[in-house]
Amino acid sequence: MSDIEMKKILVTGATGQIGSELVPELRRIHGNKNVVTGTHSRPPLEILKEGPCEKVDVTDKESVEKVVENYDIDTIYHMAAILSVKGEENPWLAWEVNMNGTYNVLEVAREKSLMRVFCPSSIAVFGPETPMDNTPQDTVLRPTTMYGLSKVAGELLCNYYFKKFDLDVRGVRYPGIISNKTLPGGGTTDYAVEIFYEAIKKKKYTCFLREDSILPMMYMPDCIKSTIDIMRSDLIKLNHHADFNLTAVSFTPKEISEEIKKHIPEFTITYKPDDRQSIADSWPNTIDDSAAREEWGWTPDYDLPAIVEDMLRVLEERHKKEEI
Ligand code: AKB
């Protein structure tokens, strides 16, 4: 299927950190009216109101079905999920949204013979027994969080739907995503976003992870690029489907703080590790994403200095306008 044939898109979880930047980009490519913002609890940002907005609760299959029917949807980006920290606070909700929500989306896609579905996974699929450095594509998947186990099951389910029902489901294992429009909600990698807001507003930050806690990360423009590129790639070239390793850069809280200090010399950081540290400790340091590079041409554009420079530039402007 060429890009032009992808005409009617539904994005679930569209008001979240990634969804709120993915929708405008998809609308730029496909036209405002062809991309439906599926929102649940958070009200959509103004920009998301430039095209159709519908209430979609992925835990209620009928609510997904209704929008798919009414808008003649052929492609779903299923971004709704409960992340790692929120998932540990409320594992029952994480099960409901991540397991049953994904199952409902896949079932609607199968029943309505949709062309393509994007189901993101995460580095949370890995666990303490996984090799931590240059984590291989195909390796031990024994996570210790509800989020992680729901993502492993989600990947397996998506791959099952591809094999059993010929449903073209694709997905990547996102690392921590750094962005400046919508705050992430309830993740372990959230410190790498919060640190910028605090650096600009207060010139200091207390980090909930240890200074040497290294994690794989990515800037939002790379995240959006990867999401759209994998959906545009040729099915015939894909050996993997819903479980591509993906990364851009790995760094520690100390390293990002030192990079920030190059722009804001008075910035200080202190460390007060909490429960989130054990989640971070169970995730890889660095990721081998060669399968994504080989099968659909993945390459990131932003390294740590480029991320820090751009984040500070954008957030400084927003701070001057009193938006943050
Ligand atoms: C989280 O920290 O839970 C997420 C993720 C890595 O999937 N950002």
Side-chain angles (χ1 to χ4, degrees):
M1 180 176 62
S2 84
D3 205 37
I4 295 304
E5 286 168 287
M6 267 193 227
K7 287 212 170 66
K8 290 282 187 179
I9 298 170
L10 166 64
V11 181
T12 72
T15 52
Q17 184 197 15
I18 302 176
S20 59
E21 299 206 37
L22 179 63
V23 168
E25 182 56 14
L26 288 172
R27 285 187 173 153
R28 193 188 63 73
I29 298 167
H30 300 279
N32 281 358
K33 67 176 193 331
N34 292 322
V35 182
V36 180
T37 294
T39 70
H40 181 226
S41 30
R42 282 199 227 177
L45 297 173
E46 274 317 299
I47 186 160
L48 297 183
K49 295 186 188 151
E50 288 173 7
C53 283
E54 292 290 341
K55 188 135 175 101
V56 175
D57 174 1
V58 294
T59 66
D60 168 16
K61 188 174 165 218
E62 269 176 39
S63 100
V64 182
E65 227 159 36
K66 216 167 74 192
V67 176
V68 167
E69 274 167 16
N70 291 350
Y71 287 88
D72 208 8
I73 296 294
D74 59 41
T75 303
I76 299 180
Y77 287 75
H78 173 43
M79 309 309 287
I82 302 295
L83 301 185
S84 55
V85 175
K86 208 165 159 204
E88 290 313 288
E89 285 162 13
N90 191 343
W92 306 273
L93 180 69
W95 178 273
E96 190 60 21
V97 173
N98 299 354
M99 298 294 302
N100 295 339
T102 300
Y103 175 69
N104 286 340
V105 167
L106 291 173
E107 269 299 274
V108 172
R110 179 187 68 80
E111 285 166 8
K112 307 278 175 207
S113 305
L114 298 202
M115 285 175 168
R116 206 164 280 174
V117 178
F118 179 78
C119 259
S121 185
S122 159
I123 53 164
V125 294
F126 303 117
E129 293 151 71
T130 308
M132 291 279 170
D133 294 313
N134 211 24
T135 299
Q137 172 66 47
D138 300 305
T139 186
V140 183
L141 302 179
R142 286 206 195 111
T144 48
T145 60
M146 178 58 92
Y147 175 57
L149 80 85
S150 68
K151 286 293 174 189
V152 174
E155 287 183 356
L156 294 173
L157 196 62
C158 291
N159 287 336
Y160 179 84
Y161 270 68
F162 174 71
K163 277 219 173 82
K164 177 93 178 166
F165 304 120
D166 262 341
L167 180 68
D168 185 358
V169 194
R170 303 174 182 200
V172 294
R173 292 170 175 157
Y174 285 134
I177 305 297
I178 301 170
S179 66
N180 49 48
K181 293 203 173 56
T182 304
L183 285 168
T188 306
T189 57
D190 293 9
Y191 92 85
V193 179
E194 287 171 12
I195 193 169
F196 288 101
Y197 284 78
E198 299 297 292
I200 286 182
K201 290 195 282 188
K202 301 189 187 139
K203 316 279 179 238
K204 60 179 185 185
Y205 178 62
T206 303
C207 184
F208 57 76
L209 296 182
R210 279 192 323 266
E211 65 172 21
D212 62 348
S213 196
I214 182 163
L215 285 169
M217 301 277 183
M218 178 177 288
Y219 197 29
M220 185 60 90
D222 276 334
C223 170
I224 300 298
K225 181 174 86 157
S226 71
T227 306
I228 290 176
D229 283 359
I230 189 182
M231 287 293 271
R232 278 173 159 172
S233 63
D234 243 346
L235 181 59
I236 201 124
K237 295 197 181 137
L238 302 183
N239 294 321
H240 296 85
H241 293 275
D243 52 6
F244 279 99
N245 274 8
L246 197 73
T247 190
V249 59
S250 282
F251 56 77
T252 62
K254 187 159 194 267
E255 284 163 343
I256 192 174
S257 70
E258 274 163 10
E259 200 57 46
I260 291 173
K261 272 187 211 164
K262 290 183 189 164
H263 301 262
I264 307 175
E266 63 275 39
F267 175 67
T268 57
I269 183 163
T270 46
Y271 301 93
K272 213 172 155 208
D274 62 21
D275 291 351
R276 290 170 275 194
Q277 185 64 57
S278 63
I279 301 178
D281 287 344
S282 74
W283 290 353
N285 301 333
T286 54
I287 301 276
D288 172 8
D289 61 4
S290 49
R293 289 170 187 261
E294 281 155 24
E295 292 177 39
W296 50 276
W298 162 244
T299 47
D301 292 327
Y302 288 82
D303 60 8
L304 181 59
I307 295 172
V308 170
E309 196 183 320
D310 204 57
M311 279 294 285
L312 291 175
R313 182 186 59 75
V314 174
L315 290 178
E316 283 287 4
E317 278 166 25
R318 290 189 60 199
H319 191 49
K320 276 189 210 134
K321 289 191 214 151
E322 295 183 1
E323 286 175 5
I324 63 164

